[in-house]
Every structure is written in C-alpha cells, then in structure tokens.
Amino acid sequence: MCDMMVTMIDRIQVFCFVASYGVALLLEGGRVFTRFKPPPAATLVFSIAGFLAQTLFLVAEARRSALHGLPISDWRDWCLLTAWILAAVYIAASWSRPKAALGLFLLPLVLAIIAVGNAFKGVAGPFPREEAPFRWEIVHGLSLSLGTVVVTLGFAAGVMYLIQSYRLKHHLSTAAGVPLPSLEWLQRINEGSFIYSSLLLLGGLVSGVVLNGIRHANQTDAVPWTDPVVWTSGVLFLWLLAAVVFNFVYQPARIGRKVAYLTVASFLFLSLELSIVLLAPSQHATRRSKTQNDWPDMRGSSAVAEVCLTAPPQRFKRAPREVYLDASPSQEATRP
Amino acid sequence: MKLQIVGCSHHQSSLEVREQLAFSPDQARLALGRLRELYPRSEVVLLSTCNRMELYTASDDPQLCPSHREVVNFLAEFHGLDPVGIFEDLFEHSGEDAVRHLFTVAASLDSMVVGEGQILSQVKQAYDLAKSGNTAGPLTHAVFQAAIRVAKSVARDTAIQQKRVSIPSVAVADFASGVFDSYHDKNVLVVGAGEMAEETLTYLVAEGARHIHVVNRSFDRAEKLAEQFSARAAPWTELSSLLERADIIVSTTGATAPVITLESFQAIERQRAQRNLVLFDLAVPRDVESAVGDCLGVYLYTIDDLQQTCEANRRAREKEWPKAEKIIEDETTRFMVDLNHRATGPTIRRLRSQADDIKNEELTRLLNKLADLDDRSQNEIRRSFDRLVNKMLHPPLETLRDAAKEGPPHGLLEALRDLFKIH
C-alpha cells in the first residue's frame, strides 16, 4: 500500500500542477472576460488541486534527493518552493476574497516562477553542504525565498492598485470588468510587502555573509564579494531600505499610487537579480555536469535525512574544470 | 379553487391614490381581522409598500371568496373612500395570472427599481403577518412559499439584482467600496441636508459608517438630518477643518457657486497628506470645482458620472430580463399543474370513498353468504374486489390527472360528479 502510494507520488510531474494552475487561470479569465461565468469556487478547486500536486511533487523530490545525496536545493527547487509558497498565499487570499479576481494577477506569477525554475534546471547553488553549518543555509534560502514571495505579492498588489486607481479616477464602475479588491486593502498589502520583504532580504543577506565568512575561515570555496548576485542583492536590499525609510519619513509616500509604483519597481529589481543569476557568470549558479548527477549512494549516512533548502551538495571541495559546462574564462578565474 | 388579487401599483396608480390605499402595519393587522370576520372561509394576505397595495384572497370554494367588487368595497370602506372613485385604479388578477403576478412582484421584476431586493422581504413580512393573524391557508401558504422560492431562484440564477441602479447605491457600492474596505473607521462629511444626502447616508450607515458629520448653512436642518443617523451636526464655519479629516464627502447643497473650490482644497491638502478622499458631488449646479478631482488621492464623482453608471447597470439588468421571465414562466406553469392537480383531490377522494363503500357493502354480503370459506379464500376474494375497484377507477383518474396539466379540469370534475352522483 505504502509502496503504491510512493509510486503514485513519484509519477507526479511538473506538468500536473502547471496544468492545474493553468486551468484555474483560464477559469478566472473566463469569469471576468466571458459570458460563461464559472463560479469562483471552480478556480479555487483547480488551484488547490495544483497546490496539492505541487506539494506531493516537492515531497517526492525531497525523498529522491535524499536517496541520492542530493537535497532539494538547486535553483529549480528553490523556484518551485517559492512558487509553492506564493500559490499557498494566493489560495488563502482568494478564500477570504472570493469575488476579487486575484488569480488573474497571482497565478501568472506562480507559473512564471515555475517557468524560471525550469530554466534553472541543473544550476547548482554556491555553498557545498559539507562545509557550511546547515542551519545558516536554511535561514539563507528560506529568507530569500519568502522575500521573493513577498516582493512578488507586493508587485501583484501594486499592479492591481494602479488598475483600480485608474478606473476609479476615470469614473469607471468597479462593478464592471475585472473585480478587484479595494484600494485600502491593496495599500495595506503594498505597505506590508515593503516592510516584510526588507526584513526577509536582510535576513537572507546577513545569513549569506555569515556563510561566506565561515567558508573564508575554513579556507574553502567562498563566494567572492564581487559576485553579481551578492552585489545585486545588496542593491535590492538598499533600495527596499531606502523605500521603507522614505515611507517612514514622508507620509504621503505610504499611501496612494506612490507605494504601488515602489512595489512594482522592487519586483523589477528582483527580476533583474534573477536574470543575473540565470545569465551572468556567478558562483551562486553553476551548471552541473552530467557526471555530477552520479552521486554516491549516501543512504544510511546521517546526512541523508537532512533536507537543505539552498545549498546543493558538491562532490568536490574544489570544483574541477569539467563540472562547469558553461564556465567562461573570467568565471573560472574568480574561483579559487 | 380561487386565487385573486385586487390592488394598485406605481404602474397604473398615482402616488396620491397609493397613499390613500396604503396600510400601515397596524392597519394591515386590523384589515386582516375584519376580512376574517366577513369571509371566514377565505384566506387573505395583504401586501402594502410605498409602490403597491395588493390584497390576495383565496379559497377552495370560489363562492366563499370575496368578489372583485366586494374587495373594492371593503378597501373603500376601510379607508373612507368612494368605491366608484377607486375602482378604476385597482387591477384584478385571478388564477394563473395572479400566481404569475405574485412571482413577478417577489422577484422584483415589477418594482419601480427593477432588481431591488427590498420587495422580497416585504412579501415575506406580508405573508408572516397573515400567518400570525391566521388568515393564511393552504392555498396562500403554497403560493407565497413558491413566490419566495422563485424570487431566490431569480436572484441566484440571473444577474438582475447584482447591478445597482439608484444614484446613492451606485455611489456607495460601485465607487466608495472600490476605495475603502470598511466604513466603520472612516470620516463621512455630508455638506447640505437634501434628500439625496439622506439616501446616500442610508447606504453608508448600512455599510457600517459611524463617524458622520453634517454641515449645512441652516444648522437646524443639519441637526434634523444628523439626528436620523446618530450623526453630529456642525456649523458651516467648521467646513474647512472637517474637509481636512474627511474620507468620504457627500455634497448636496443648493448653492449657486462651488462650495469646495480648488483653492480651498489646496489650503488643506498638505494636512491631508494625500490621503484617499471620495467626493460625491450630487448637487446641480455643482458644489465642487472639477479641478479638485485632479488632486492626488481625490476621487471625484458628479451626479452625471453616477447617472451614467446607473444607466449602464440598468442596461445590464435588462439583458437579464428574458432569463428571469423564463424562470417565472416555468415556475408558474409548474405551480399551476400542482394546483390543478390538488383541485381534483376532493373529487378523487370522494369517488374513491364511494367506490370503497360499495365494495365493502358487496363484499360483506358475499362473505356472509359464503360463511364456510376459509381465511385464505376470503382474503383472495377481498384482494380481487380491491383490484377490480382500482382497475375500474384507474382510467378516469388518469384522464383527470392529464387534464389537470392543461388547466383546471372543471368539465371533467363536473362530469365525474354527475356520472357517479358524488355530492
């Protein structure tokens, strides 16, 4: 029975939950833009189905990773986890506000993050698991993951705010067209997203610095401070910090369209950072070679049960040249 | 079986006539009591609202139900009016038309503002009043319960009640709710004490608004309006400071020049720190300079803006009209089939009873003659007689059932009564 369930869970593919989220998005679109009006509950049912499928997929991934000594810790897993949290937030929000077409704004973001995750397939993170204290990796990965979710939520709320504000300013009835939450509610989400994303990114940065410090002290592979991901994260954090301070000092910035613009800008910063991770040479993202997939069987070791959220394990203390499939000379030069 | 409505509504009667024929709740109770005394075997329900007065009478025996003229005479006598004078103002529906009319009224398709939900609660109140006064009976129970069910079905399956069509309701539901999530912590400022201000306040208070200030050049009128909504009246001189704190402003003065100018608003704009402000200018000529609407965080709506939305919503409701009418038509047909079938009940019961009496009489005589029969044989004979009676009655009853689907089978019932001498 148990084996059967495991086999069933193992069969769940990314396509399963992407399709569920896709159908939910289509139903949401149909509710707003067509005469065929599926009930909001239908959207919610498909979203929950997608969420459950994604949960089982992540569980199966974690199990598979543990069996092969690979924790769910590469960039794809990180994106899937972020998308999963965002989907959970979306379901909770639509449960409390069934009339608002939140799915129209949040589901595309969930799907986009999953798509980015797929683009990151096989890209490993920067910290060898054996060399860094595990708890710092959790703090680092989870903070950045939650920070990304909050910034993304703020972006969706910001866009909704700008649309709703435009409609109200131009005397277009809110009862017609896309049903959106009130400006007051959206403003609360925007404000909250600023404060919480700053705190979470601060947590991610500090834990990253600590991790790197440990690696420096251990004289193992540390991420250079000039790494694009490090400095863009710093810039993003400084931007959010400046925005929070600006909001605190200048009251009008806390309300109205200004805060919506700021949240949209924060998301653009975040997208830029993710693009750098994906495209620019960075030690935060190294492509694994095929040989790296042949991890030794670590079943039975104490490390097997551990599930790391950010740092993929690296087999070698010093990564040999052949493990980087797309390593440019400059990139190689930055590595010890 | 008879169901009849005599009444008047905004469609064919003037406000003056409707006022004369209207019943307060106490008067309605009294009228029901009197009708009970006059027509003890008749069921009565009285529906009286601002836009209609309808008296529903019903009885299994049409002879026991008051006629159209008798109802008119009663209404005229109750209100001290001339029956001839009001006869032309009162319509009469009976049978299927009466059922269809009640369903249409309860579903709010006959209302002045089509789709308004208040009429259903008024229909329920009228029915409850009749129940508490013991003037409702099997027929009125059936038709009013069906009407409530139909009204809910129309509200659920069509969008006819979803779009607002009055200016104050559109102001609150379509615009203020787009800006604010809740109203309990918002400062509402009413400038002027006109009728429109009163109506808008009704909706805002219903949505939870608590902090309300009324400002008017005539302080007495401001106080009067404020008293109705547990609000605070403020002198005209406080307008500027109240503007500064307001989240929602409803302006309805009769002033010939703008009351809120760009200059006066800019004077307090800094203190407002660009907080969202919803401004309803319901006055003609306008109370608020249009340039105020360009200020940051200000959402300004004039009566024309709201009127346009009302029209758009009205058109959207009209699109739903055929769907709602179909529901009413289907439900009316279904109800009438049930009702006609019920109308055949007494005749069928008497026919069966008569046949059973004959059967029992013959069976007793036969069994007395065949006294030495054992129990098994006696039971066989009883069952045989039962089958015989059932087979004899089945064709006429089946025909009666089929005929009831087409309408009241008066002819067939009459024929059955004559043929079988049922009295």
Side-chain angles (χ1 to χ4, degrees):
Chain A
M1 183 69 183
C2 190
D3 284 347
M4 239 177 75
M5 271 185 70
V6 169
T7 317
M8 237 172 67
I9 291 172
D10 279 346
R11 280 186 190 157
I12 294 172
Q13 299 294 312
V14 175
F15 174 78
C16 299
F17 51 87
V18 166
S20 289
Y21 293 142
V23 172
L25 181 59
L26 283 176
L27 287 171
E28 191 83 320
R31 183 160 74 93
V32 175
F33 299 114
T34 66
R35 279 188 68 80
F36 164 67
K37 305 259 180 235
T43 312
L44 203 58
V45 165
F46 274 95
S47 305
I48 291 171
F51 178 74
L52 289 177
Q54 193 176 0
T55 309
L56 293 174
F57 177 83
L58 288 174
V59 168
E61 278 287 284
R63 201 181 60 82
R64 275 195 292 269
S65 304
L67 284 175
H68 298 97
L70 253 173
I72 53 160
S73 57
D74 66 9
W75 277 103
R76 187 186 77 141
D77 291 342
W78 183 85
C79 283
L80 288 182
L81 184 74
T82 305
W84 180 77
I85 298 169
L86 191 60
V89 173
Y90 158 66
I91 289 165
S94 2
W95 186 271
S96 65
R97 292 187 171 261
K99 281 185 184 168
L102 298 175
L104 223 50
F105 296 87
L106 286 171
L107 284 173
L109 293 171
V110 171
L111 290 169
I113 294 173
I114 294 171
V116 169
N118 248 18
F120 274 131
K121 201 171 180 179
V123 177
F127 298 107
R129 180 164 155 241
E130 300 89 339
E131 295 172 7
F134 184 56
R135 67 175 73 90
W136 282 108
E137 290 174 353
I138 289 178
V139 173
H140 186 60
L142 204 58
S143 302
L144 293 176
S145 184
L146 288 174
T148 304
V149 168
V150 176
V151 170
T152 312
L153 267 179
F155 167 72
V159 171
M160 283 190 263
Y161 188 100
L162 293 174
I163 294 172
Q164 181 78 313
S165 170
Y166 176 87
R167 290 201 308 192
L168 288 164
K169 202 76 178 171
H170 291 82
H171 311 139
L172 302 170
S173 167
T174 53
V178 183
L180 293 173
S182 68
L183 293 182
E184 190 182 11
W185 189 79
L186 292 168
Q187 190 174 294
R188 269 205 303 272
I189 301 288
N190 279 331
E191 275 182 273
S193 90
F194 257 122
I195 294 163
Y196 292 116
S197 61
S198 304
L199 288 173
L200 288 163
L201 283 180
L202 177 67
L205 273 179
V206 168
S207 53
V209 168
V210 171
L211 273 168
N212 223 18
I214 291 167
R215 294 200 62 189
H216 269 296
N218 291 347
Q219 292 183 327
T220 52
D221 287 351
V223 175
W225 301 113
T226 52
D227 188 286
V229 177
V230 174
W231 64 261
T232 49
S233 295
V235 171
L236 175 60
F237 170 70
L238 286 176
W239 155 260
L240 286 168
L241 190 69
V244 169
V245 171
F246 177 56
N247 278 346
F248 187 73
V249 173
Y250 181 56
Q251 196 197 345
R254 284 206 294 275
I255 50 182
R257 278 176 291 180
K258 288 187 196 71
V259 73
Y261 286 129
L262 288 175
T263 49
V264 172
S266 300
F267 181 76
L268 295 179
F269 259 115
L270 181 77
S271 305
L272 181 72
E273 191 182 343
L274 284 175
S275 307
I276 287 171
V277 172
L278 191 63
L279 304 170
S282 162
Q283 204 162 315
H284 267 85
T286 51
R287 300 255 174 214
R288 281 197 205 104
S289 71
K290 281 180 185 172
T291 53
Q292 260 189 303
N293 289 329
D294 305 326
W295 298 101
D297 192 350
M298 290 175 76
R299 275 175 289 190
S301 76
S302 60
V304 171
E306 292 178 347
V307 176
C308 174
L309 289 162
T310 55
Q314 289 186 5
R315 194 175 173 185
F316 313 102
K317 283 207 168 187
R318 278 179 183 276
R321 290 182 70 85
E322 61 267 30
V323 301
Y324 301 103
L325 293 178
D326 58 349
S328 63
S330 60
Q331 190 183 356
E332 288 300 294
T334 62
R335 297 194 178 106
Chain B
M1 194 171 277
K2 184 180 177 184
L3 174 68
Q4 175 190 256
I5 309 169
V6 176
C8 65
S9 76
H10 58 95
H11 289 302
Q12 77 277 40
S13 305
S14 65
L15 179 62
E16 194 185 7
V17 173
R18 297 202 309 270
E19 277 174 348
Q20 285 175 341
L21 290 168
F23 288 83
S24 67
D26 287 339
Q27 283 178 320
R29 210 168 284 118
L30 189 65
L32 289 176
R34 277 199 209 163
L35 281 163
R36 184 81 178 155
E37 286 167 15
L38 288 170
Y39 308 98
R41 302 280 300 279
S42 176
E43 303 170 26
V44 190
V45 179
L46 179 58
L47 172 67
S48 182
T49 71
C50 310
N51 295 323
R52 67 183 68 246
M53 186 289 300
E54 292 173 357
L55 188 65
Y56 293 76
T57 50
S59 175
D60 271 344
D61 186 347
Q63 304 302 320
L64 300 171
C65 207
S67 67
H68 179 189
R69 188 166 292 278
E70 283 172 327
V71 173
V72 173
N73 285 340
F74 171 80
L75 291 171
E77 190 196 329
F78 191 91
H79 288 292
L81 302 167
D82 175 20
V84 180
I86 61 166
F87 193 86
E88 287 301 313
D89 286 305
L90 294 167
F91 64 79
E92 189 254 356
H93 293 305
S94 61
E96 188 171 342
D97 287 344
V99 173
R100 187 180 293 107
H101 177 81
L102 176 59
F103 287 3
T104 309
V105 167
S108 182
L109 295 192
D110 197 54
S111 299
M112 190 179 267
V113 178
V114 173
E116 55 96 6
Q118 207 184 356
I119 185 68
L120 179 58
S121 59
Q122 287 166 334
V123 168
K124 282 181 187 168
Q125 280 167 13
Y127 173 49
D128 288 342
L129 190 67
K131 277 198 296 185
S132 64
N134 285 325
T135 61
L139 198 54
T140 41
H141 280 313
V143 75
F144 273 84
Q145 282 168 10
I148 292 164
R149 202 174 53 244
V150 170
K152 285 179 181 170
S153 167
V154 168
R156 189 185 57 241
D157 300 338
T158 72
I160 210 150
Q161 288 188 14
Q162 286 169 13
K163 307 269 183 181
R164 315 274 174 155
V165 288
S166 73
I167 285 175
S169 64
V170 162
V172 176
D174 287 32
F175 293 106
S177 294
V179 177
F180 299 117
D181 215 28
S182 61
Y183 295 90
H184 68 276
D185 56 346
K186 302 295 175 301
N187 290 312
V188 177
L189 172 63
V190 179
V191 186
E195 194 185 331
M196 201 66 104
E198 189 182 330
E199 283 183 43
T200 313
L201 267 182
T202 308
Y203 282 97
L204 284 168
V205 168
E207 291 289 330
R210 286 183 205 155
H211 308 293
I212 304 165
H213 282 88
V214 182
V215 178
N216 195 46
R217 284 192 202 276
S218 154
F219 188 69
D220 290 347
R221 287 191 63 194
E223 268 189 322
K224 204 174 160 189
L225 182 63
E227 203 177 312
Q228 280 183 53
F229 295 95
S230 307
R232 194 187 144 244
W236 188 258
T237 47
E238 281 187 28
L239 179 62
S240 181
S241 65
L242 290 169
L243 266 180
E244 192 185 312
R245 297 202 299 268
D247 298 300
I248 301 168
I249 298 176
V250 182
S251 192
T252 63
T253 73
T256 49
V259 174
I260 302 171
T261 60
L262 180 63
E263 198 184 352
S264 67
F265 188 79
Q266 279 173 336
I268 50 113
E269 203 178 5
R270 191 180 160 82
Q271 286 84 348
R272 288 190 57 83
Q274 295 169 20
R275 234 169 51 245
N276 284 336
L277 171 68
V278 178
L279 228 164
F280 295 119
D281 183 358
L282 307 180
V284 179
R286 286 183 289 179
D287 278 347
V288 184
E289 269 185 9
S290 56
V292 175
D294 298 332
C295 296
L296 280 171
V298 176
Y299 298 91
L300 170 65
Y301 304 98
T302 64
I303 201 149
D304 279 356
D305 302 326
L306 299 173
Q307 192 69 52
Q308 276 172 17
T309 306
C310 287
E311 280 305 316
N313 288 353
R314 199 167 282 133
R315 282 195 295 276
R317 278 189 176 189
E318 279 166 14
K319 281 185 187 168
E320 295 290 307
W321 189 281
K323 207 171 161 186
E325 270 190 328
K326 190 176 179 320
I327 293 172
I328 288 173
E329 206 48 54
D330 291 349
E331 291 293 335
T332 304
T333 308
R334 189 172 301 143
F335 182 82
M336 288 312 295
V337 168
D338 288 348
L339 196 67
N340 293 333
H341 186 60
R342 271 178 49 183
T344 62
T347 307
I348 292 172
R349 270 196 301 277
R350 271 178 273 169
L351 182 64
R352 278 203 164 279
S353 159
Q354 188 172 302
D356 280 344
D357 288 347
I358 296 167
K359 178 195 77 179
N360 290 335
E361 202 177 300
E362 287 301 314
L363 196 59
T364 311
R365 199 164 56 195
L366 180 67
L367 292 178
N368 284 342
K369 278 185 182 173
L370 306 169
D372 53 344
L373 276 180
D374 60 6
D375 285 352
R376 189 169 169 274
S377 304
Q378 280 189 14
N379 283 338
E380 269 307 316
I381 290 170
R382 278 196 191 93
R383 272 199 289 272
S384 197
F385 268 64
D386 284 343
R387 276 198 299 273
L388 183 70
V389 170
N390 284 340
K391 281 182 179 174
M392 290 284 284
L393 290 182
H394 182 71
L397 295 184
E398 188 69 20
T399 308
L400 197 60
R401 231 189 319 271
D402 290 344
K405 288 176 187 168
E406 305 299 324
H410 295 306
L412 273 178
L413 287 173
E414 199 65 34
L416 274 176
R417 281 196 284 265
D418 286 347
L419 286 169
F420 291 92
K421 302 278 183 218
I422 303 168
H423 300 292

